Structure formats: C-alpha cells, structure tokens
Amino acid sequence: MTEQLMDRQNTEPASAAPSVLHGAPLTGAAEPTVLARFEEWVRTTPDAPAVIDGEQRWSYAQLDEAATSVAEALAGRVRPGELVGVCLDRSAALVVTAVALARVGAVYLPLGPRPGERRIDAVTEDIGVVCLIGDPELLPQRQVAAEQVELTLPAEGANAAARVVASFGAVAPGARTAPPEALYAVLTSGSTGRPKAVAVAEPALATLLDWYRAETGIAPGDRQSLLIGVAFDPHLLELWGGLTSGAALIPAPDEVRWDPAALTDWWREAEVTLAVAATPMVEPLLDRPWPQDLLVRHLMVGGDRMRRRPGPDVTATVHNAYGPAEATVVTTTHAMRPSDPDVNVDAAPPIGLPVAGATVAVTDTDGTVLPRGTDGELRIGGTCLALGYLDPELTARRFTPPPAGLPDLDRMYRTGDRVRMLDDGRLEFLGRLDDQVKISGVRIEPAEVEAAFEHDPAVRSAVVTAPRDAEGRARLVAYVLPAAGATPDPDDLLTAVRAWLPEQAVPSAVRVVDAFPLDANGKVDRPALVKHAEESPANPAAEAALPEGASPDELLVLTSVRDLLGRPETTLEDNFTDAGGTSILAARLLEALEKATQVRLRAPELLRQPDLRAIAAVLGRRRTTAHTARP
C-alpha cells in the first residue's frame, strides 16, 4: 500500500499543494460549558418549549427542575467521572437524564432502549459502568436483581417508558474507567470481537455546537428533531444542539424512522425546522418528489456514503456530513442547496471541508502528507478529537503524532478511510482501507460479528463478509463452520446473535459450510466468499421453488424479501425479522412493494405480521381498498 501511494505521489506535479486543510475558525465567544449554555436559556426563556412530543410540552424551566430532581436522586451514588449507561429511547426522559448526568459530572454512555442482555454483559465486563438507567422491564435480568433507585422522569410521549430506575450493580474487577474530563462516551464496533468505548470531553462537543449554530442559524423558535438512534453519537448533536440554542427538541416516534412517507408526514405535522438523519433514511426521500410544504430548512445527513445529490425540488439545505465518533460526530461537511449550479449533476457529492476545530490531512501509510489529487488515508486532528478509547493501548495505536509540518497539532486520529483531497480542499470519500464496513450508517467490524457466532458451542469458527448489491448497498453474510458433530441451524444462530449485537450488525443470511476457501498464504479467502455471496444462491433448488397456488401478492412479497435478504430459501411461512429482516430492510421492502403496486404500507403493520403470507394479505386488502376507492 505504501509503495503504491508513494508511486502515485511521485507522478504528481512538484507544485501540487499538500493535502492538509484547517477548519475555518468561528468568531464570538460562547458560554464555556455545554451545561452553562443550557442553563442560560433556562434563565432567559424559562417558559419556552424545550421538548415537544405530540400534545405534550416541557418548558426549559420544567426540564431544568426535572433534571435537578434526578441529579439529587443520584447524588452520593454516582460520582463525577463515573460511567452511567443510559437505556432510554428518544423522549423527554432521555433529555432530562442527559442534563442531570452533566450536572452530576457523570459520563453519559448511551446504549439505546434495548441493547441486548449479552451485549450489556460484554460491555459491563470491560467498562466500569456504575449503573444503568432505563425501563426495569427492559433491563437485563441480572440488573433487575440489583439495587434500584426510582427516578422521577417524564412518562409521557411516543417512546417514553412508564417507569425508569437507576440500577446499580457491582463494577467488574479491572474494568476500564473514563478519563475524568469526559462528558460522554459511545460504543463503536471492535476488531477484537468486543465493542470499544470512545470518550469525548466537553470542549470538543462545545466547538461542534458552535459550528452547528453558525451553519444552520438554529435559534429560539426552531424545532430540532430527535430522530437518530440513541446508541449512536449523532443524537448528541441533535440533543445538545437544540438545548444550547434555545430551540425545542421533537422526539420522533419509532414508526417514522425508516418509512420515507411517514417521516415527511411527521416532519410536516411536527413543524420540524432542522433535522439530523442517517444516509439510508434520507436517500429514499431523494428518490421521491420532495414535499414543498415542509418547514425543514437544514438537513444534516451522515453515517454512510451518499450516492446522489438532492434535486432542485429539495427546498432544504442538505449537508453531506462525515465524521467518526473519535472526532466528535462531524468532521467535514458539504452543503447542497437548490440554487447550486451543479444541482442536476448525477454524481456522488464530496464529504466537503473540515468544520471549525478540525484539521484534515491525507497521508500514505507512513504518515507522509500526499499532494492534492492523490488517494490516501484520512487523518484528523484539532480540538475536535476525542480523548481516546478507554483502552490506552488502542488509543496509542489510533491516535498518533502528526506528520511533519503540522506543529500546531499534538496528535491525529487515523481513520482507516481512503479519501482524495481536491484542488479546492474538498474531500472525496473512496472507501475503507481495512475490513471495517458500514451498514445503514453504523461502523461494523466483521470480527465482532464473528465473535458473536463463536460464542455458540455448535460453531467452531465464523467468517463474515459484506457483499454489495447492484446499488452499492452492503449487507452482512455469515459463513459458519460447525464444531465436530454439531449441526447448527442458521435461523437459531441468527436468533442467538441478536442478544450480542446491535440490529445493524445482525447478518441477513447465515450459511453453514464444510470448509472455508483459503488463499495462497493459507488465510481465509474473504474475496472468494464475497464473490460467492454475490453470485451464488444459498440454495439453488429453493430459489427455483416458488410455492404452487400462491397469489400474485404472495409471490411479490416472497421474491422481494428473498432479493433483499439474499436468502432464496425464504418461504411464505417465515417471519420477516426472524429471517434476517431489520427496520432498515423493512423500509427497502416497503419501497419495492410500493413501486410494484402503487400501494404504500407502513413499517409497523409490516413488522408486526407473523409471517410473509400475512404481509401479502395486508397488501392485498390495501390494494382492494385503493381500487374500490377510485372513481
């Protein structure tokens, strides 16, 4: 790799500028801390809405009062710098908890409302989590038996829990702790098979919020959506972006998150003016006529490669954002407006220019800065950087001294992403330099997924690949080598790994094999497995066997699901989720069915059906209703 990069570098003109760029500095001083900025709005606009969830409203004063109550309940039990796992969904309760933990000085560790018992066990074995905050009905079984403190939190709203407790368990011996200056920590996929935690200090988030406010003009009267899954760090930009600007936060009901029609309907009804969304959530919207009555004026999109630009009918400014958790949510952005001269260009947009507080450099593997126009690895430095991982050895490997010629930086984060810097400084994203993949905007290490399968005694080893479909979307396929004498069932294996992994990391298909193909060095030939996944059905006989007597709707649903999951053996009696379906794939299924029938189902009615035959029945009823309603 180094030789290839250096060869390309040597072909560049000597006058080519180096691939280094600093984010433009911001003018104007803000309050020194994130919490102080929120408290300033409590003093100046106490009656302004801080959270609006349907018919429910909480003012800044009410939110502050509730946060004080929670902080007092945790006082003496949670000390500054200690990690607290938050298992809540997008709601007023989540917002209150985030403010309360900042007030206590604890480190906010968002895990999502249903993180999975095995995943929680793995996290708490490695990381010193002093308590979990969540719905006692959804917390892992061993946490239910732990000491619990009832928390007085808002119980109203689309995703709110009726009851929330702080559950205190013993911290595992040797568990890693967060640096004392950390404000929050987030989990990312780990190449060792275990999730790793990244800790971020308050100044890094405060600088990002300054940039967000300057870029979008967010202010009192605005409505900022809470749409991102709580386990992922962009929700911190949403949450604190609203609270530190005097705006109102609008939690999204779960059913709108992966349904384009429902999402735009909700934006309209909730009068959302600013939104942050995952790329896979937004791209289907760009394939449809953009509703002209939306109030959304800025849409921040990130988490995966954006494959097309917004059309001239998109009234919002769409920001193609890039940024790893290790560099505090957003590192570079490219803003796209309907008045841009290239609005009709059919090409993937760049990931843009660095935000305030960020420095980007494109280097070869030895750390030498390359000329602009040359492919290389993206490194990030500046005040945007996280403190590091809770694992000091991993921090030392990924946060390294800067290349020569950058004296203002003390370290840079090696992203592992392959990019190219254009002459004007904008960055183009070209892919990964390692095995890491992105599924629906979430970074996934195949090794972590493989380790989840290998917990099963019926599995000797597993290899996970990420083949891409014709549109460039990746999906995970697991190849499993059984233990001696074992005959593991693929569906049972899928069910078991759901307890270890986030939804996006659950493979769409599991294939039991007698042996793995090997390359010339005796290693597993992953490219051969990817090629096999892209070209070969899991069961050719099953692929050819369509059920006799099936209705046209049943055949449409069955063939669509088989194509999406890459599982030709799927039958009408299979449950969509059990067969490997996720909320993201459900959104794509909805799109496929709508294109074929002009009938739009909603994600909840699809996901609650017991099997594919029932989905087809719902589709048939809706088609009949639509037909009889026509004049």
Side-chain angles (χ1 to χ4, degrees):
M1 172 63 72
T2 302
E3 292 177 357
Q4 293 172 347
L5 292 177
M6 292 303 293
D7 285 345
R8 285 198 296 270
Q9 182 181 11
N10 293 336
T11 65
E12 292 291 326
S15 60
S19 296
V20 176
L21 197 64
H22 305 277
L26 295 173
T27 58
E31 289 289 338
T33 70
V34 171
L35 183 62
R37 299 178 193 191
F38 162 73
E39 291 173 338
E40 179 63 24
W41 290 111
V42 173
R43 287 190 293 272
T44 57
T45 60
D47 297 325
V51 179
I52 302 173
D53 194 339
E55 298 300 315
Q56 304 293 327
R57 292 180 176 233
W58 292 268
S59 69
Y60 270 80
Q62 289 171 321
L63 203 70
D64 180 67
E65 183 179 355
T68 298
S69 173
V70 172
E72 290 173 349
L74 298 176
R77 298 174 180 270
V78 176
R79 294 189 295 271
E82 290 186 326
L83 286 151
V84 175
V86 179
C87 304
L88 296 172
D89 211 340
R90 301 170 307 279
S91 60
L94 174 75
V95 179
V96 169
T97 300
V99 174
L101 293 179
R103 189 160 283 165
V104 170
V107 182
Y108 173 87
L109 176 66
L111 300 172
R114 297 174 179 83
E117 185 159 354
R118 296 292 182 86
R119 185 170 176 81
I120 285 290
D121 287 345
V123 169
T124 54
E125 284 173 11
D126 295 344
I127 299 171
V129 178
V130 297
C131 79
L132 295 178
I133 294 178
D135 182 342
E137 298 295 323
L138 299 178
L139 290 177
Q141 189 59 40
R142 68 183 182 87
Q143 291 293 142
V144 174
E147 178 192 2
Q148 294 185 352
V149 174
E150 202 84 22
L151 298 180
T152 304
L153 285 166
E156 301 82 16
N159 310 310
R163 179 172 169 243
V164 177
V165 300
S167 179
F168 292 82
V171 174
R176 297 186 176 97
T177 58
E181 62 269 40
L183 174 69
Y184 71 87
V186 290
L187 299 181
T188 66
S189 190
S191 59
T192 62
R194 313 275 286 195
K196 56 182 185 282
V198 181
V200 178
E202 197 164 13
L205 181 61
T207 300
L208 177 67
L209 298 176
D210 287 339
W211 168 83
Y212 186 64
R213 187 164 49 252
E215 184 73 11
T216 65
I218 185 172
D222 271 315
R223 295 188 172 200
Q224 167 73 59
S225 68
L226 272 181
L227 183 64
I228 297 292
V230 174
F232 308 113
D233 62 324
H235 90 275
L236 288 147
L237 174 60
E238 296 179 300
L239 191 153
W240 288 109
L243 292 184
T244 58
S245 302
L249 296 172
I250 318 295
D254 205 51
E255 59 266 22
V256 312
R257 295 185 61 229
W258 300 108
D259 185 334
L263 178 58
T264 52
D265 287 347
W266 176 73
W267 277 345
R268 181 185 302 108
E269 294 162 5
E271 299 179 337
V272 170
T273 58
L274 299 108
V276 179
T279 309
M281 193 186 304
V282 170
E283 286 197 321
L285 298 180
L286 302 181
D287 292 330
R288 309 160 65 95
W290 186 264
Q292 296 300 297
D293 57 350
L294 297 181
L295 299 179
V296 177
R297 67 174 191 275
H298 286 277
L299 175 58
M300 201 73 56
V301 182
D304 208 344
R305 184 187 305 191
M306 202 170 182
R307 294 170 179 82
R308 56 158 295 181
R309 298 166 187 258
D313 65 326
V314 177
T315 54
T317 298
V318 179
H319 305 260
N320 186 27
Y322 163 90
E326 291 85 348
T328 316
V329 188
V330 176
T331 304
T332 68
T333 60
H334 176 68
M336 294 168 283
R337 300 172 177 84
S339 58
D340 290 342
D342 59 354
V343 68
N344 290 308
V345 173
D346 186 17
I351 57 174
L353 302 171
V355 302
T359 293
V360 295
V362 184
T363 75
D364 65 14
T365 51
D366 292 330
T368 301
V369 175
L370 298 170
R372 296 192 183 189
T374 307
D375 302 0
E377 181 181 8
L378 176 61
R379 301 191 188 213
I380 303 170
T383 57
C384 66
L385 284 190
L387 295 167
Y389 302 104
L390 302 196
D391 179 349
E393 293 182 2
L394 181 58
T395 299
R397 288 200 301 270
R398 300 305 296 270
F399 292 82
T400 60
L406 296 175
D408 295 336
L409 302 176
D410 59 353
R411 60 191 183 126
M412 296 193 87
Y413 170 66
R414 298 188 61 174
T415 66
D417 287 329
R418 187 166 63 91
V419 300
R420 179 190 304 124
M421 184 175 286
L422 303 176
D423 288 342
D424 60 5
R426 291 179 301 161
L427 289 170
E428 291 182 326
F429 181 83
L430 304 175
R432 289 289 300 174
L433 294 168
D434 57 19
D435 293 332
Q436 192 181 87
V437 297
K438 278 201 171 184
I439 304 293
S440 301
V442 179
R443 286 189 292 169
I444 304 295
E445 291 278 4
E448 183 177 358
V449 185
E450 292 162 0
F453 280 96
E454 291 165 0
H455 283 295
D456 194 308
V459 175
R460 185 199 303 174
S461 61
V463 174
V464 173
T465 64
R468 294 185 179 273
D469 62 18
E471 297 178 354
R473 294 191 181 98
R475 62 186 178 90
L476 296 180
V477 176
Y479 291 83
V480 169
L481 190 66
T487 56
D489 179 79
D491 291 334
D492 291 344
L493 292 174
L494 270 179
T495 300
V497 298
R498 290 179 190 278
W500 290 97
L501 301 169
E503 181 188 41
Q504 293 83 354
V506 177
S508 64
V510 177
R511 298 174 183 177
V512 179
V513 297
D514 296 327
F516 296 131
L518 303 179
D519 62 18
N521 296 319
K523 297 180 179 180
V524 174
D525 191 344
R526 289 177 182 268
L529 287 175
V530 171
K531 185 176 181 181
H532 178 271
E534 291 174 340
E535 297 179 353
S536 304
N539 185 342
E543 181 179 42
L546 290 172
E548 294 183 9
S551 70
D553 290 330
E554 289 173 340
L555 293 177
L556 173 62
V557 170
L558 179 60
T559 55
S560 299
V561 170
R562 285 178 174 180
D563 288 345
L564 283 172
L565 300 184
R567 298 188 66 189
E569 69 273 23
T570 304
T571 70
L572 286 169
E573 287 69 38
D574 285 332
N575 175 272
F576 178 72
T577 302
D578 292 343
T582 64
S583 58
I584 301 99
L585 290 174
R588 292 170 59 190
L589 177 59
L590 293 174
E591 289 289 316
L593 296 180
E594 184 180 17
K595 286 180 180 178
T597 66
Q598 287 72 57
V599 170
R600 182 71 184 182
L601 301 181
R602 297 291 193 182
E605 62 184 335
L606 184 152
L607 292 171
R608 65 172 170 251
Q609 302 307 318
D611 55 30
L612 301 188
R613 195 183 300 278
I615 293 175
V618 172
L619 179 64
R621 290 194 295 271
R622 293 285 296 276
R623 291 181 76 174
T624 300
T625 301
H627 179 75
T628 56
R630 295 192 186 106

